[in-house]
Amino acid sequence: MKKHAEEQRTQPCLVRLISLGCPKNTVDTGVAAGALLVAGFGLTADDDEADVMWINTCAFLLSARKEAMEEIRRACTWKKRRAGRLVVVAGCLPQWDKDGAVRAKYPLVDAWEGIDDPAGIAAVLKRLTGNKPVPEQKKARPCTWIYDETTPRLTVESEHFAYLKIADGCCNCCTYCLIPSIRGALRSRTVKSVVAEAASLVSLGYRELILIAQDTGAFGRDRTGGKSELPELLAALDKLPGEFRIRLMYVHPASIDDAMIRAFKKCRRLIPHIEMPVQHVSGPVMAAMNRHITAERQSEVIRKLREAGLTIRTTLMTGFPGETEEDFRLLLDAVKSRVFSRIGVFAFSPEDGTPAAAMKGRVPAKTAAARAAWIAAEQEKISREANRALAGQTVEVILDEDAGRGRWRGRMLMDAPDIDQTVHVSQCPSGLTAGTVVPVTVTRASAYDLYGTYEPEGREPGGKDK
Ligand code: SF4
């Protein structure tokens, strides 16, 4: 059996990358893919032909850890089916597993890597395929790493939009959140580094650059000691030549000041839409969450963003310890007031090791879930009405995927890929490419999907002929 294993390992090694969790993880997966290709390994999407299963995990919530462990179990079963196969687990789960309990549960895993060196997978595999042991990583390593423009990266997310991770880690320390303990303190790339990567992506044909971080608004604060460099970055990106758009995601409301709003208004390339997770609108709940912003200031930020012409996507949390019926009503009223164009809602999950998990006033899980369901139902109603109001109008749609026979799947400008709603477009001419923005006249709508036809001579929202 051992001889067979060695024979297997002399063949070209094909790696199957599995990326769980958020777009920040997707970028790290792209860095691993880049390092593997540079080192001469191959990539495959086919489990059967793969020699290595590399799983980039998420551990933000219990549900994410369950999903990661399910994937590890599946990989261990896959490994047993053919001698010589290897399983490597990377990302947030090994970083979260500070006492090694998860590692101990899966002895078939050949190596565990944290978040600090996704490119290190190439060196790990060289050792493993050379039958050399990988030094055991018992404890999570410090989180200090962030890639830059010189790091080889495969944009695994898409061929027409690309995530640009401008910073990693977080110093906001919201009381419910494990991220600072998993991904470490804020560390930002330089403006120069992000602009250089953006220029390279645009020259390769990417038309949508999506700026991401744990808190995108905090970009640069670790260097300046307080002032965000996001306005400076947006101004520099705006000057780049080429045809592309910028999307901003994950901006903490406390990071937004008037200078930033002015920068949003000035940036011609910025899609007038912002992903700003507010979590709650009730002052006492926000204070207990350690959100660094008062309810009054947050509603001022929302008002100013809307006055500046931006629509807002947000995430909300129900059932945080101490949330009263009245607090929840305030949240529901904010949803009903339609200040948010898109909403994701979650029930509070007490994560061991966070201050919130030990707080008094725990809201029963059933109540928290029922409140989340109430908000989701309200939002569905609002979304259905808003979509139906678009019937007969022409909207701009970013084409994402050719569905064949003149049909494309796409999304409205405000909608982020893989998260928000889809527009199903028919009667498209041939020759269109992914990432192109086309006029689509809406013919039918449901709560989270729009259907329409490609129509170059369409009508603007409001019914005016072009
Ligand atoms: S801003 Fe708050 S919720 Fe977001 S990553 Fe930082 S600590 Fe977690």
Side-chain angles (χ1 to χ4, degrees):
M1 181 63 89
K2 185 164 186 293
K3 185 165 180 293
H4 180 65
E6 278 161 9
E7 275 165 11
Q8 290 284 334
R9 287 175 191 186
T10 59
Q11 301 300 313
C13 189
L14 287 176
V15 185
R16 166 103 163 92
L17 300 174
I18 295 173
S19 196
L20 305 175
C22 66
K24 279 92 71 175
N25 248 18
T26 308
V27 171
D28 292 349
T29 300
V31 169
L36 288 168
L37 292 177
V38 168
F41 292 93
L43 300 177
T44 179
D46 183 345
D47 285 4
D48 286 338
E49 70 169 5
D51 304 297
V52 180
M53 192 80 80
W54 182 84
I55 308 166
N56 194 11
T57 56
C58 173
F60 177 49
L61 296 172
L62 176 64
S63 53
R65 295 193 292 277
K66 279 188 179 161
E67 184 192 14
M69 286 190 246
E70 183 52 46
E71 207 60 57
I72 296 170
R73 267 193 294 279
R74 195 179 74 81
C76 292
T77 307
W78 162 89
K79 176 178 168 163
K80 284 189 228 162
R81 288 201 203 110
R82 196 179 80 202
R85 282 178 165 172
L86 299 167
V87 176
V88 181
V89 178
C92 292
L93 185 68
Q95 207 77 42
W96 171 86
D97 180 37
K98 294 197 170 28
D99 62 0
V102 177
R103 286 169 178 73
K105 245 173 135 176
Y106 301 102
L108 281 181
V109 172
D110 297 278
W112 299 84
E113 294 286 295
I115 63 157
D116 266 337
D117 188 14
I121 177 65
V124 167
L125 285 191
K126 274 187 181 162
R127 287 191 76 85
L128 288 173
T129 52
N131 287 325
K132 290 186 192 141
V134 177
E136 201 179 344
Q137 190 208 330
K138 282 215 173 97
K139 283 195 179 152
R141 294 173 299 180
C143 311
T144 52
W145 179 85
I146 183 147
Y147 81 111
D148 67 22
E149 77 284 11
T150 63
T151 313
R153 170 163 89 100
L154 196 68
T155 37
V156 290
E157 53 272 36
S158 155
E159 286 175 4
H160 66 282
F161 67 82
Y163 294 118
L164 260 172
K165 185 154 70 166
I166 62 174
D168 207 340
C170 185
C171 292
N172 290 332
C173 297
C174 302
T175 50
Y176 53 84
C177 183
L178 279 172
I179 294 285
S181 71
I182 294 175
R183 296 199 78 99
L186 173 70
R187 50 207 179 274
S188 308
R189 294 170 60 184
T190 60
V191 170
K192 205 172 152 198
S193 168
V194 178
V195 171
E197 189 188 6
S200 149
L201 288 165
V202 172
S203 74
L204 289 169
Y206 288 88
R207 304 192 195 180
E208 182 175 344
L209 305 181
I210 307 177
L211 304 192
I212 56 171
Q214 309 301 334
D215 172 7
T216 313
F219 172 70
R221 282 210 183 121
D222 45 322
R223 273 192 304 272
T224 64
K227 187 177 148 283
S228 170
E229 291 182 327
L230 185 60
E232 194 183 330
L233 176 63
L234 289 176
L237 290 173
D238 212 26
K239 286 191 197 128
L240 283 178
E243 227 182 276
F244 71 99
R245 303 171 291 280
I246 299 168
R247 182 182 299 281
L248 255 186
M249 293 185 75
Y250 313 123
V251 191
H252 191 300
S255 295
I256 299 179
D257 57 14
D258 289 355
M260 208 176 274
I261 296 175
R262 277 197 299 277
F264 295 162
K265 271 171 90 174
K266 263 199 215 152
C267 183
R268 295 165 304 127
R269 302 204 184 265
L270 186 69
I271 292 170
H273 180 73
I274 183 169
E275 217 270 346
M276 182 179 75
V278 301
Q279 310 301 352
H280 219 285
V281 299
S282 167
V285 179
M286 290 164 65
M289 287 176 163
N290 193 32
R291 292 291 290 168
H292 304 279
I293 185 168
T294 62
E296 294 70 29
R297 172 64 193 154
Q298 183 169 276
S299 49
E300 193 186 344
V301 167
I302 293 170
R303 179 178 56 77
K304 286 186 172 178
L305 286 171
R306 287 168 55 85
E307 281 169 5
L310 281 93
T311 50
I312 303 168
R313 177 183 217 286
T314 199
T315 44
L316 305 174
M317 186 188 292
T318 58
F320 189 79
E323 183 193 61
T324 61
E325 188 65 37
E326 199 184 323
D327 294 323
F328 171 67
R329 287 280 165 187
L330 283 176
L331 193 59
L332 190 62
D333 287 348
V335 172
K336 286 182 178 173
S337 74
R338 303 183 182 211
V339 287
F340 305 117
S341 306
R342 303 283 183 258
I343 289 177
V345 59
F346 304 91
F348 169 70
S349 159
E351 295 298 324
D352 280 349
T354 61
M359 279 180 186
K360 291 193 180 128
R362 184 76 69 85
V363 174
K366 259 190 170 173
T367 308
R371 288 174 180 174
W374 193 342
I375 285 184
E378 193 60 45
Q379 181 59 17
E380 187 176 327
K381 204 166 81 190
I382 292 170
S383 184
R384 185 177 290 110
E385 281 173 20
N387 280 351
R388 284 190 178 159
L390 290 172
Q393 296 184 8
T394 303
V395 295
E396 289 184 297
V397 171
I398 302 170
L399 298 178
D400 280 319
E401 198 189 343
D402 188 347
R405 293 186 296 169
R407 291 167 306 144
W408 278 79
R409 274 185 283 277
R411 62 201 142 90
M412 283 165 63
L413 271 185
M414 73 165 80
D415 290 319
D418 301 328
I419 301 174
D420 292 319
Q421 61 185 31
T422 304
V423 186
H424 304 266
V425 192
S426 57
Q427 297 177 23
C428 294
S430 58
L432 293 175
T433 52
T436 308
V437 177
V438 298
V440 171
T441 298
V442 177
T443 52
R444 194 157 61 87
S446 65
Y448 296 115
D449 283 296
L450 290 172
Y451 300 81
T453 51
Y454 172 85
E455 195 150 349
E457 301 299 323
R459 278 178 295 162
E460 286 177 348
K464 284 186 286 171
D465 286 331
K466 273 190 178 171

